[in-house]
């Protein structure tokens, strides 16, 4: 059974999430503090997706996300943010989260986001594995790895999915809507800024100069283009 961690210090919200995720067929691991979440992650290394609240009594959700990304690029991470806190969304994505859900949220919305992350984690397999070679980059779609000039670059699952989309469409301008649909799914009802923040993260990792990108270039008023 697929495991999901829910880190939320408000018991009513956590219980609400747990009940609905169990109904959806997930095994749910609960944590009420950041330290407890880190302990649970060590205890259950097969957790596939972590749902992290930001405001916690000890270690905040951003720091928990950073620590997850320091050891695991494969795990999906969803941040729970307050609807009015715009910076929380951007900060969460820049620390390595794959997605965010704003409170209050519906069980169906959260479940759909988790389903999408699990599909992405298990998306490629040996049957359709291939090497994508472009410029200094080599992507192995079996192992979900990327190398630049022979050096491994660590990507989250969302970053990998975006870069794979670019490398499969070299020279083609992709709109933000195209990227959102391909990576997060056609039914995703989140905001387009999630694309921009992930592109910013990717540029930091793969560009020689993130402030003057040459591989992922901006098509003003439309989206982005891959030009390795």
């Amino acid at each position: 059974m697929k495991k999901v961690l829910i880190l939320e210090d408000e018991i009513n919200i956590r219980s609400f999430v747990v009940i609905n995720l169990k109904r959806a067929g997930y095994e749910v691991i609960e944590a009420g503090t950041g330290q407890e979440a880190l302990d649970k992650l060590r205890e259950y290394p097969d957790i596939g997706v972590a749902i992290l609240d930001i405001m916690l009594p000890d270690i905040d959700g951003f720091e928990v996300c950073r620590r997850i990304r320091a050891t695991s690029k494969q795990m999906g991470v969803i941040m729970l943010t307050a609807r009015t806190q715009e910076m929380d969304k951007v900060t969460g994505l820049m620390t390595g989260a794959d997605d965010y859900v704003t409170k209050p949220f519906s069980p169906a919305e959260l479940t759909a986001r988790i389903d999408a992350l699990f599909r992405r984690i298990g998306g490629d397999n040996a049957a359709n594995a291939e090497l994508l070679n472009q410029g200094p980059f080599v992507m192995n779609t079996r192992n979900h790895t990327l190398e630049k000039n022979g050096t491994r670059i660590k990507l989250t699952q969302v970053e990998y999915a975006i870069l794979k989309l670019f490398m499969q469409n070299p020279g083609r301008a992709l709109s933000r809507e195209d990227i959102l649909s391909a990576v997060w799914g056609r039914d995703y009802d989140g905001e387009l800024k999630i694309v921009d923040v992930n592109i910013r993260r990717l540029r930091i990792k793969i560009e020689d100069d993130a402030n003057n990108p040459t591989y992922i270039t901006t098509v003003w008023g439309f989206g982005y283009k891959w030009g390795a």
Side-chain angles (χ1 to χ4, degrees):
M1 188 179 292
K2 296 174 180 176
K3 288 188 177 69
V4 176
L5 170 76
I6 170 67
L7 168 56
E8 170 60 68
D9 64 326
E10 293 188 38
I11 296 176
N12 290 339
I13 295 177
R14 191 169 77 239
S15 299
F16 169 74
V17 171
V18 169
I19 290 170
N20 284 282
L21 290 185
K22 286 183 176 179
R23 286 176 181 168
Y26 289 108
E27 180 180 346
V28 187
I29 311 299
E30 300 181 53
T33 67
Q35 186 57 56
E36 186 180 3
L38 295 171
D39 293 340
K40 294 290 186 181
L41 288 164
R42 283 189 289 269
E43 183 179 352
Y44 299 97
D46 57 341
I47 288 172
V49 171
I51 306 163
L52 310 178
D53 189 30
I54 293 173
M55 299 300 293
L56 297 165
D58 57 343
I59 307 169
D60 66 29
F62 299 137
E63 182 59 25
V64 174
C65 183
R66 290 188 190 96
R67 296 191 191 185
I68 288 174
R69 285 294 176 240
T71 58
S72 173
K73 303 300 177 183
Q74 303 297 313
M75 186 183 301
V77 177
I78 298 174
M79 305 296 294
L80 299 181
T81 69
R83 188 175 298 277
T84 57
Q85 296 300 314
E86 196 69 20
M87 278 307 299
D88 282 353
K89 301 173 184 178
V90 175
T91 303
L93 293 170
M94 288 304 294
T95 56
D98 299 298
D99 203 351
Y100 57 81
V101 174
T102 54
K103 298 178 182 180
F105 52 85
S106 72
E109 177 188 10
L110 181 60
T111 302
R113 303 288 179 88
I114 295 169
D115 290 344
L117 278 179
F118 271 108
R119 283 196 301 271
R120 195 175 303 130
I121 291 168
D124 290 318
N125 55 47
N128 62 11
E130 60 177 322
L131 292 179
L132 299 176
N133 293 270
Q134 291 172 20
F137 300 99
V138 177
M139 174 176 283
N140 184 316
T141 65
R142 174 183 295 177
N143 300 327
H144 285 209
T145 59
L146 178 75
E147 292 184 357
K148 178 182 180 183
N149 294 320
T151 301
R152 179 73 59 86
I153 296 175
K154 294 180 179 180
L155 302 176
T156 68
Q157 287 300 310
V158 165
E159 292 164 353
Y160 166 84
I162 293 173
L163 197 56
K164 181 184 175 188
L165 179 66
F166 278 132
M167 294 181 73
Q168 290 176 327
N169 295 274
R172 175 187 167 193
L174 298 172
S175 70
R176 290 173 174 82
E177 290 83 0
D178 290 335
I179 299 169
L180 194 72
S181 176
V183 175
W184 283 269
R186 295 184 182 277
D187 297 328
Y188 183 80
D189 59 356
E191 302 166 73
L192 286 174
K193 74 164 64 66
I194 196 170
V195 173
D196 299 322
V197 177
N198 275 279
I199 294 294
R200 192 188 316 168
R201 272 185 3 201
L202 261 176
R203 283 172 167 167
I204 291 171
K205 292 184 176 184
I206 72 168
E207 297 282 356
D208 298 324
D209 179 0
N211 294 318
N212 185 29
T214 58
Y215 302 119
I216 302 176
T217 55
T218 300
V219 181
W220 295 107
F222 184 74
Y224 301 94
K225 183 169 66 173
W226 176 249

